[in-house]
Amino acid sequence: NANATVSDADASGFVSRPVGTSSTAQAMANSVNILLGVGLLSVPYALKQGGWAGLGVLGLLGCVTNYTGKALIRVQARGSLRDAKTNRERPLTSYEDIGEAAFGETGRAFITAVLYTELVGTCALFFILEGDHLSLLFDGTKYLTHSSQWWQCASATAMIPTLWLPDLSALSYVGALGALASVSLVGVVAFQLAAVDGFPLESYPPGFESTAFLHLTALPVSFGLLAFVFAGHAVFPAIYASMAEPEEYEPMLDRTYAIVDLTCAVIGAAGYAMYGDAVKDEVTLNLPAGSASTLALALITVNPFSKFALTMDPVARGLESRMGVDIDAEDGDGPFKARVLRTGLGLGALLTAAKVPCFAVVMSLIGSFLTLTVSVIF
């Protein structure tokens, strides 16, 4: 019962918790979708920066963030906070709640600032991604500021309304579409690797000669880019809270990471082997004109649309709670105010995208500092 009443801690020390409505499959679709997408495109560029040794970094980060993703939810399942209004124990429902339980109100304020900056910055990257690829798909231009910014604004008209959906289970269908698009993109790039310039499978690809095992001086940039692949911990508490069978969370997370790690390794190795030091910060921008390139561009434009609302959801719910509005309310003006607030957040991310269009630099910064802070350190 999603509306079950939360009671005080029982004799065992646990607080009874509302049960979500999302199936395990829906939760997995959301988890794969939030991890697989924007960071996937930068893996070949990350290997260019750090060399083939970056694949080892990718595996290490996968293992560490898989562990911290489980530890985070174990804390959420066992912990509670005293509600100041009712003076009763309530369950932890968000990353910020877990931060307050661990570090107090001051810690919560600091964690909230880092968390919201990461999530809004990630949503800005979604607009940058849409602008780059839609301008290339429809205008045949790369990195033309005016064209890409126009397409950013156009994509906002479709992406911002997804923020008005109050239930994560509803977003799971969009998430499944995004996950399918990401996996399909791997097939397109692999096909392109085998077919480009008549490249035969038994010989080295054209860019392979310019690859390297290790670029030690640039490895920190590679580390930051690869860390961004695993930027999902801010959303994991909401996904866990939405599950009808929360005991299935850890096996679901293992399956999610298996899909994400394999997909990133395949597209990273293929893109780096194909283009070497010529690989761009978004590997799809390297693909030559043709049907494969058009299909890849079409697939990748699905990703920002499918994960925009899921990424912004923790920010929106946190601000709604502070302002005393509820998008889930059945009456009153709470839902309207919540939608106005969410629209403002979406427009704020769009404005950020217009001011910081350099995709690789922004993503490396977010990955190096904010993502590692949220996904590992806290």
Side-chain angles (χ1 to χ4, degrees), residues 189-206 208 270 273:
V189 173
F191 170 79
Q192 188 68 24
L193 174 61
V196 66
D197 296 331
F199 153 59
L201 290 175
E202 65 271 9
S203 65
Y204 287 124
F208 194 85

Side-chain angles (χ1 to χ4, degrees), residues 107-137:
R108 180 189 181 106
F110 179 71
I111 286 174
T112 298
V114 172
L115 182 68
Y116 288 5
T117 302
E118 183 210 13
L119 294 177
V120 173
T122 301
C123 287
L125 286 176
F126 293 156
F127 285 122
I128 295 171
L129 189 70
E130 287 287 283
D132 284 351
H133 287 83
L134 287 174
S135 64
L136 181 59
L137 185 63

Side-chain angles (χ1 to χ4, degrees), residues 275-329:
Y275 300 112
D277 286 341
V279 71
K280 298 184 182 298
D281 53 359
E282 302 163 55
V283 69
T284 43
L285 299 179
N286 280 101
L287 298 179
S291 57
S293 176
T294 301
L295 178 58
L297 291 172
L299 287 171
I300 207 59
T301 57
V302 174
N303 274 285
F305 171 79
S306 67
K307 56 174 57 67
F308 183 75
L310 193 63
T311 303
M312 191 67 83
D313 186 75
V315 182
R317 291 196 177 272
L319 294 179
E320 287 163 11
S321 176
R322 183 173 292 272
M323 295 176 62
V325 299
D326 186 2
I327 196 172
D328 298 315

Side-chain angles (χ1 to χ4, degrees), residues 1-4 16-22 240-246:
N1 180 6
N3 298 314
S16 59
R17 301 167 189 281
V19 177
T21 58
S22 297
Y240 172 77
S242 75
M243 294 180 67
E245 298 179 289

